[in-house]
Amino acid sequence: MIQQLSVADYQQMLWKNGAGYTVELARSDGDSLDAFDWRISMADVKTSGDFSKFNGMQRILTVLEGAGIILKIDDDSEHLKTLQSAQFSGDSTTSCELSDGPIRDFNLIYNPDKWCSRYQWMCEPTSSEVFSSADLIFIFNQSPEPLEIEVEQQLFCLAQHESLKIEQQKALKKLVLKPQRLKQACLIELTKN
């Protein structure tokens, strides 16, 4: 099944710690913030502060817009700028300090006992061919330029912040990503363990 998702399809919800809002792009089954196997989301971070815990989960966070953050994970810290990512445990004590004003981030949270993930940003200006047999393939367009994606002779055109969600049964898929000028796309592949 292939779904093109626009901003109107996304769901806004309060953070677990109540300190801000998340825009949920997609998630596995489950209605609560404690009962999902994977979730893909964006969040506007307007103040420095603590992150919610997601025990037993793995997290990958990327800065989409803004000057960046200093991410403090347990006893380490990492300075993330635009389109830089960090991977960490949902069990970790995590907080962030804004470098210079608000940021927007992009997140994958998943259960590593149930899923293997491949998470990559594709930022070269040329077309790319991707072959995948993952159970879930998710492509997010961060670029202000439209991104054309061809999947098995079907053509999809993603505007900025739109996504393509492909759920399949282990069939190998060929995807061709064709940027107009600038490609800033996140490709997430999730495969059941």
Side-chain angles (χ1 to χ4, degrees):
M1 183 171 85
I2 303 177
Q3 280 180 285
Q4 182 169 342
L5 303 172
S6 72
V7 175
D9 297 310
Y10 304 154
Q11 183 177 348
Q12 188 178 60
M13 57 184 55
L14 199 60
W15 291 351
K16 272 177 82 173
N17 65 13
Y21 285 91
T22 288
V23 177
E24 186 176 85
L25 283 61
R27 83 151 113 173
S28 64
D29 295 335
D31 293 328
S32 81
L33 289 179
D34 292 313
F36 60 82
D37 290 339
W38 58 264
R39 182 176 85 157
I40 299 164
S41 63
M42 286 188 294
D44 290 317
V45 182
K46 297 176 181 175
T47 58
S48 301
D50 294 335
F51 278 33
S52 305
K53 283 204 174 193
F54 287 89
N55 293 328
M57 305 296 255
Q58 192 68 23
R59 299 185 68 167
I60 305 174
L61 177 146
T62 303
V63 174
L64 286 183
E65 298 164 12
I69 56 171
I70 297 164
L71 197 60
K72 296 175 183 175
I73 305 161
D74 294 326
D75 296 325
D76 293 323
S77 66
E78 197 170 341
H79 189 185
L80 298 180
K81 295 181 180 173
T82 306
L83 296 186
Q84 290 183 333
S85 305
Q87 181 167 327
F88 54 99
S89 168
D91 296 275
S92 294
T93 299
T94 308
S95 64
C96 80
E97 196 176 299
L98 297 173
S99 300
D100 184 18
I103 62 124
R104 171 170 280 181
D105 63 27
F106 183 80
N107 301 274
L108 168 64
I109 303 174
Y110 68 98
N111 184 336
D113 293 335
K114 296 183 179 180
W115 296 88
C116 289
S117 80
R118 187 163 174 245
Y119 179 102
Q120 62 178 320
W121 279 89
M122 307 171 84
C123 296
E124 67 281 2
T126 56
S127 291
S128 304
E129 286 188 2
V130 176
F131 293 88
S132 178
S133 58
D135 295 287
L136 175 80
I137 303 167
F138 193 90
I139 301 168
F140 171 79
N141 182 30
Q142 168 59 14
S143 173
E145 306 281 339
L147 176 66
E148 287 188 352
I149 304 171
E150 187 181 320
V151 187
E152 298 179 334
Q153 284 97 45
Q154 285 183 273
L155 194 63
F156 301 89
C157 186
L158 302 185
Q160 187 177 35
H161 295 163
E162 290 189 339
S163 307
L164 197 64
K165 180 183 170 193
I166 305 167
E167 292 181 278
Q168 56 179 8
Q169 298 298 315
K170 299 286 186 195
L172 184 66
K173 287 255 192 297
K174 176 184 175 183
L175 296 85
V176 183
L177 283 69
K178 305 174 184 175
Q180 295 218 338
R181 283 201 301 272
L182 174 70
K183 181 163 59 180
Q184 291 180 340
C186 187
L187 170 64
I188 296 172
E189 297 166 87
L190 290 171
T191 304
K192 288 177 184 167
N193 288 339

